[in-house]
Amino acid sequence: MPIIRRVALLGALLLPSAAGASVETHLAAVLKFGPRVTGSEANAQARTYLEGQFRALGYEVRRETFTYPRFDDLGSGVEVGGRTLAGLALQGSVGGEVTAPVARVSGVGTPEEFAAAGVRGRIAVVDRGTLPFAQKARNALDAGALGLIVVNNQPGEVRGTLGERVALPVLAVTREAGAGVRAGERATLRVRVREGDVTGVNVVAFKSGVTRPDFLFGGHLDSVPGAPGANDNLSGTLAVLELAGRVAGTPLAGRSMFVLFDGEEDGLHGSRAYVKTNPELVRTLRGMFNFDMVGVNVTPLTVSGEAGLVEAARRASGVAGRVGGTGGSDHAPFAGAGVPTLFFHRGLDANYHQPGDVVADPALIREAAEVALKTVDALTAAPTGRR
Ligand code: BES
Ligand code: ZN
């Protein structure tokens, strides 16, 4: 590596973000918009804000859109004794509103249990477990029930899928809500759902003229409904922005691309779309670095992925590393396309996908960016051979 290039890269390692506001400022600004569900107004506001930050650092920004089908619960629940208990429609359920007496089935919803409970013309209530949701729903329909409520058999909400169309409103509720739905009481079951296409938007930032980057730094910007997504994954998003700031004035900027993926929480749609629409760029990448949940230290920062990248990260920073790994985030479609990937994370915290996901530590976010830079430095100092 020419000495000048190496010195400039070291500059990126040693200096704080060249320009732009701090991680603290970005965290506060973006969290104000609320959960960044793909297709939502908050998601669009966060995107616009972050695009502005990349531009302020001297990057060009382009948007890449993609569309996929999604099932949305628009607010479902059951009203009993003047109280409304919240629930979530099982994916594939029909929408509808039914008022009828409750039949509490003792069991998980076998045909025999439905028959014993006398559910015809009633709203049937069964326990989660043993049988697939669709089978419970089909049994309920066959037994003449007008609606079905599935009560969780463990703490928390149920986000479930029927996996097929069953012509019955089906709601899943927590154990606490289930206890409030008693046999013989009149109840109104409201299942409000929408099935339609949603459009996601990937934000791609790069220095003017860069079309074949060596390194792609990415993280998902979207979050799940009801969760502010500070750690999952504003933390990763801001690690990417921090990296963009650190490399802005260095030659590495000319070899890098920064991507904020959308649609991750609905099934890695943004990263899959990116890989599909940019095959040439993807083919020549030396590394894809994915940052997901790097703002809360459940485990110390861990990298997993391709052996050469893991080794470089370990050598450069002493970070914990694991070769291989599973695919629950945006590196997976790249790995599937043969790109060496490195996944940066700190484990699953207690607020994962919960309304309590409101905290991410700026120091941990900066540390993740720093480890990535050290890794790139180690790689460019000792080329791995794949070019
Ligand atoms: N942020 C998570 C992935 C993750 C898990 C990062 C553990 C770090 C540690 C991601 O947003 C997520 O929720 N993924 C889903 C799968 C995805 C295809 C919807 C998962 O892991 O269940
Ligand atoms: Zn998630």
Side-chain angles (χ1 to χ4, degrees):
M1 182 184 207
I3 196 86
I4 288 203
R5 231 165 147 203
R6 193 150 164 76
V7 166
L9 188 49
L10 278 170
L13 278 170
L14 299 173
L15 295 170
S17 196
S22 66
V23 176
E24 285 82 349
T25 305
H26 300 317
L27 268 171
V30 176
L31 283 175
K32 280 209 185 84
F33 300 132
R36 299 172 301 282
V37 177
T38 300
S40 69
E41 186 52 32
N43 180 295
Q45 288 170 326
R47 179 199 317 137
T48 302
Y49 174 88
L50 291 157
E51 285 171 338
Q53 301 306 314
F54 281 116
R55 287 200 184 96
L57 293 170
Y59 292 93
E60 289 191 9
V61 178
R62 73 165 178 260
R63 293 180 176 185
E64 295 185 2
T65 61
F66 53 94
T67 298
Y68 56 94
R70 190 175 67 192
F71 178 95
D72 287 324
D73 186 320
L74 303 175
S76 301
V78 56
E79 206 180 298
V80 264
R83 285 201 309 151
T84 299
L85 306 167
L88 285 167
L90 290 182
Q91 285 199 32
S93 163
V94 295
E97 181 173 320
V98 190
T99 300
V102 170
R104 186 65 169 95
V105 177
S106 50
V108 294
T110 64
E112 297 72 27
E113 288 163 354
F114 277 118
V119 301
R120 184 163 302 278
R122 298 181 169 227
I123 297 169
V125 182
V126 299
D127 294 327
R128 184 184 185 189
T130 315
L131 302 180
F133 291 130
Q135 205 168 324
K136 295 174 198 274
R138 267 188 271 112
N139 293 347
L141 192 65
D142 291 347
L146 301 179
L148 178 66
I149 298 172
V150 180
V151 181
N152 204 357
N153 56 357
Q154 46 192 276
E157 301 182 316
V158 189
R159 282 181 194 274
T161 303
L162 287 174
E164 63 181 75
R165 265 326 258 186
V166 181
L168 193 72
V170 187
L171 184 75
V173 298
T174 60
R175 281 206 291 221
E176 296 70 37
V181 189
R182 282 182 289 272
E185 274 189 307
R186 242 182 129 62
T188 298
L189 173 64
R190 279 194 195 90
V191 175
R192 297 173 55 232
V193 295
R194 179 185 52 199
E195 250 184 305
D197 282 346
V198 57
T199 295
V201 184
N202 289 336
V203 170
V204 184
F206 54 93
K207 284 283 174 182
S208 178
V210 175
T211 55
R212 289 291 185 93
D214 285 336
F215 299 103
L216 188 151
F217 303 100
H220 73 91
L221 176 57
D222 63 308
S223 52
V224 298
N231 193 33
D232 187 10
N233 183 37
L234 187 52
S235 65
T237 293
L238 296 185
V240 174
L241 181 61
E242 175 71 9
L243 271 161
R246 299 245 189 153
V247 307
T250 77
L252 181 57
R255 306 167 60 200
S256 302
M257 203 157 260
F258 306 89
V259 184
L260 305 184
F261 297 105
D262 205 358
E264 193 267 356
E265 299 287 10
D266 292 327
L268 315 180
H269 290 281
S271 45
R272 288 203 269 139
Y274 187 92
V275 166
K276 198 167 167 192
T277 49
N278 299 284
E280 287 306 305
L281 182 159
V282 164
R283 197 176 54 78
T284 51
L285 282 175
R286 280 187 71 186
M288 186 277 180
F289 291 22
N290 180 35
F291 301 83
D292 197 348
M293 302 179 75
V294 292
V296 175
N297 230 12
V298 181
T299 62
L301 183 64
T302 306
V303 295
S304 50
E306 191 263 345
L309 296 185
V310 169
E311 184 44 37
R314 270 204 209 118
R315 200 167 6 105
S317 68
V319 75
R322 201 158 39 86
V323 175
T326 51
S329 188
D330 289 314
H331 54 282
F334 288 84
V339 177
T341 62
L342 200 56
F343 174 32
F344 290 69
H345 62 90
R346 296 180 188 272
L348 275 187
D349 64 283
N351 293 310
Y352 171 63
H353 288 186
Q354 299 299 316
D357 184 6
V358 292
V359 175
D361 182 344
L364 298 182
I365 293 171
R366 280 190 283 264
E367 189 206 354
E370 209 147 297
V371 169
L373 277 175
K374 286 181 177 162
T375 306
V376 170
D377 190 33
L379 286 169
T380 32
T384 58
R386 185 188 192 269
R387 286 277 359 213

